[in-house]
Every structure is written in structure tokens, then in C-alpha cells.
């Protein structure tokens, strides 16, 4: 469960769950020693700074993914082996980090901020829990009936959520409708590694170890009586399976219908139409 926020300077409501933030170290050469298990912010080498890297943030365990808050000053990182510190929230302007949870509810696979409400969606192996960071309470628990969740994405409208799993399931949730999937698709032949909604257009996609990316039309209606329309559009190929791994991640362009994919074969591809 989320930790209770200590008294002191309040953070914006959208990220109040990050109020338990630790000092991040500050400028390079600072003499203060971080506490055991603390997140350390440090200046990178001159070579990395010349390439545009501003800060390095060290974790106790290896971080596998990050998720940005829409306001841009906060991000969440996931270190699946980090136990109670598997999820960390970071504030860039103050260079501080902290864990919103006092204990672990299982191995965390992915997290995502809600685009409009102060919610943090946390995917463990079999469930997705949505926490209200303002009230610091569990808002909803989703049950996808998947054996092992790999990834999630929240629709920019905020009422729908997409989930991928290693057992080849692509689940669409209507958060106002049910804790069970509105639609489950099984179009990939191997594990799904990544899913993503387009931030502006009615598109979403899934990436898999079968070395393909599936693109769908996904329209959400303002009429609450109408269900989302999901239509398969295209199967994109171009990556090669390497060491039994295919497409590891995907990301949409913020405005154009362009899709980037990163493969285990070491290549990054851009699909434009």
C-alpha cells in the first residue's frame, strides 16, 4: 500500500504520492554519503555531458523501464528485482527520488501515469493495480487472466487501458466498465513485449517476439453507451528474431502516424505508412 505522506511542503496533486522523496545527491563532487539503498543523482562524465546527458540516477537494482508524467517534471522507474523499492518516483527539478510503496505486492513489470488523474497504474505478474496518489489509496484492481504481464499503456482519454502479456494476450480494458478485459486479442504467435496507444490518433500497436508489430485502429466514443471500436490494420515486419527475442519495444511519434520499433537484432526501425 502507498506510504502516508509526511508533513511538509506539498507537491502538486497529480504526484502527491511522490512526497516521500529523498535528496538526490546534487552536484558532482558533493561530499555527503548517501544512505544505504538510497537513489543517487550524479553528474555524468564529460563525454556523456557532451552528448546531452544531464544526470545519472543510480538504482539499487537494475531498472528496466521508465514512464513519464504528462507534466514533464516527474517520471517513474521500474526495477523488478527491487522488492519494496521496485517502483521509484523521480522529480527532475529538485533532483529527488523516492518510493511510493511501503511493501511489495509482487514482482512489478511496468507502470504508467494516468494522463488526467493523479493515478499510478502498476502491473505485477498477474494483476494491474491503480493507485490514487492524492488520497494514497488503491482505486481499482484489474484482472486480465494473463499468466505474466509484460507491458501496459493508458489511453490518452484516460478511460481505457491496454495490456500485453508473455502468454501472447493483448487485453483492452474499459476502466468504467469492468475489472475484466473488454476485449482480448490473440493475434501474435509468441510473447508480447510492448504495447502503446498513440497520444493523439485512434491507433494502438503491439510488439512481439515473433518479430512483428501489429497496428490497430482503436476508436473511443464520447457516448458512454457505445463500446470502443477495435479494427486490425496492418502487420509490420522488418526485424529478425535474435536469441529467441524479437521486437522489444515500440513508441509512437507524438503527432504523426509514425511508429518506432526496437529489436533484439540491434536495429531501430521507423514505420511511416
Amino acid at each position: 500500500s502507498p506510504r502516508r505522506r509526511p508533513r511538509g511542503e506539498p507537491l502538486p496533486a497529480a504526484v502527491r504520492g511522490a512526497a516521500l522523496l529523498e535528496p538526490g545527491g546534487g552536484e558532482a563532487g558533493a561530499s555527503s554519503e548517501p544512505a544505504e539503498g538510497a537513489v543517487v543523482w550524479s553528474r555524468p562524465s564529460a563525454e556523456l555531458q557532451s552528448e546531452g546527458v544531464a544526470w545519472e540516477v543510480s538504482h539499487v537494482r537494475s531498472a528496466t523501464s521508465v514512464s513519464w508524467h504528462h507534466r514533464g517534471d516527474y517520471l517513474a522507474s521500474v526495477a523488478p528485482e527491487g522488492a519494496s523499492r521496485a517502483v521509484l518516483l523521480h522529480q527532475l527539478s529538485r533532483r529527488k527520488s523516492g518510493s511510493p510503496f511501503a511493501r511489495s505486492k509482487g514482482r512489478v513489470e511496468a507502470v504508467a501515469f494516468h494522463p488526467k488523474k493523479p493515478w499510478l497504474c502498476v502491473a505485477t505478474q498477474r494483476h494491474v493495480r491503480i493507485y490514487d496518489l492524492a488520497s494514497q489509496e488503491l482505486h481499482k484492481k484489474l484482472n486480465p487472466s494473463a499468466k505474466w504481464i509484460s507491458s501496459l499503456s493508458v489511453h490518452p482519454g484516460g478511460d481505457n487501458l491496454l495490456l500485453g502479456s508473455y502468454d501472447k494476450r493483448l487485453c483492452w480494458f474499459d476502466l468504467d466498465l469492468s475489472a475484466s478485459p473488454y476485449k482480448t486479442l490473440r493475434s501474435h504467435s509468441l510473447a508480447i513485449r510492448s504495447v502503446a496507444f498513440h497520444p493523439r490518433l485512434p491507433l494502438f500497436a503491439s510488439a512481439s517476439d515473433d518479430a512483428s508489430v501489429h497496428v490497430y485502429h482503436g476508436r473511443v466514443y464520447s457516448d458512454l453507451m457505445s463500446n470502443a471500436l477495435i479494427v486490425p490494420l496492418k502487420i509490420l515486419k522488418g526485424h529478425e528474431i535474435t536469441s529467441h527475442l524479437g521486437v522489444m519495444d515500440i513508441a509512437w511519434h507524438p503527432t504523426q502516424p509514425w511508429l518506432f520499433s526496437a529489436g533484439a537484432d540491434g536495429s531501430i526501425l521507423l514505420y511511416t505508412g
Side-chain angles (χ1 to χ4, degrees):
S1 59
R3 288 179 175 177
R4 290 293 172 186
R5 181 168 56 94
R7 294 180 181 178
E9 179 185 354
L11 293 176
V15 284
R16 281 180 186 160
L20 190 63
L21 296 179
E22 304 158 345
E27 299 294 333
S31 59
S32 58
E33 290 294 330
E36 183 178 358
V39 177
V40 178
W41 290 62
S42 59
R43 286 292 189 184
S45 64
E47 180 181 357
L48 289 177
Q49 289 189 48
S50 68
E51 296 176 357
V53 179
W55 291 94
E56 291 182 334
V57 184
S58 64
H59 293 64
V60 177
R61 295 288 185 268
S62 297
T64 58
S65 64
V66 297
S67 177
W68 283 93
H69 188 272
H70 66 279
R71 293 185 178 178
D73 192 30
Y74 293 87
L75 72 153
S77 62
V78 176
E81 304 297 333
S84 63
R85 299 176 66 82
V87 179
L88 293 175
L89 304 184
H90 311 275
Q91 185 179 9
L92 272 65
S93 61
R94 298 172 65 190
R95 298 192 300 277
K96 293 188 176 182
S97 302
S99 171
F101 303 109
R103 60 182 181 274
S104 175
K105 290 285 188 180
R107 177 187 166 96
V108 178
E109 298 296 333
V111 299
F113 288 103
H114 191 277
K116 296 184 176 181
K117 297 181 180 180
W119 296 351
L120 181 67
C121 305
V122 180
T124 54
Q125 184 174 337
R126 293 181 179 269
H127 301 97
V128 175
R129 293 175 174 86
I130 303 176
Y131 294 98
D132 188 321
L133 297 178
S135 64
Q136 302 181 4
E137 294 177 344
L138 176 64
H139 171 70
K140 181 175 289 188
K141 180 179 177 181
L142 305 180
N143 302 300
S145 299
K147 293 181 180 179
W148 199 313
I149 297 170
S150 64
S151 52
L152 64 86
S153 178
V154 183
H155 189 275
D159 293 330
N160 295 269
L161 182 146
L162 198 62
L163 182 150
S165 74
Y166 293 116
D167 55 323
K168 302 175 285 188
R169 298 171 188 254
L170 177 62
C171 302
W172 177 300
F173 286 87
D174 185 330
L175 298 180
D176 294 327
L177 186 64
S178 171
S180 299
Y182 157 66
K183 187 80 71 175
T184 298
L185 306 173
R186 296 180 177 86
S187 56
H188 285 286
S189 59
L190 294 174
I192 294 177
R193 292 278 172 178
S194 181
V195 295
F197 278 113
H198 193 286
R200 294 191 180 184
L201 302 175
L203 298 169
F204 68 94
S206 60
S208 169
D209 278 341
D210 61 15
S212 71
V213 176
H214 292 199
V215 179
Y216 300 82
H217 172 88
R219 181 169 295 279
V220 175
Y221 299 96
S222 57
D223 179 9
L224 297 179
M225 300 301 294
S226 299
N227 293 326
L229 175 64
I230 301 173
V231 180
L233 293 180
K234 188 176 292 187
I235 297 177
L236 306 176
K237 297 185 178 180
H239 290 284
E240 299 291 335
I241 296 177
T242 304
S243 299
H244 307 289
L245 300 174
V247 186
M248 306 302 292
D249 203 3
I250 49 175
W252 289 99
H253 187 278
T255 58
Q256 300 295 326
W258 301 349
L259 184 63
F260 295 87
S261 65
D265 56 5
S267 64
I268 296 176
L269 304 182
L270 169 60
Y271 301 95
T272 59

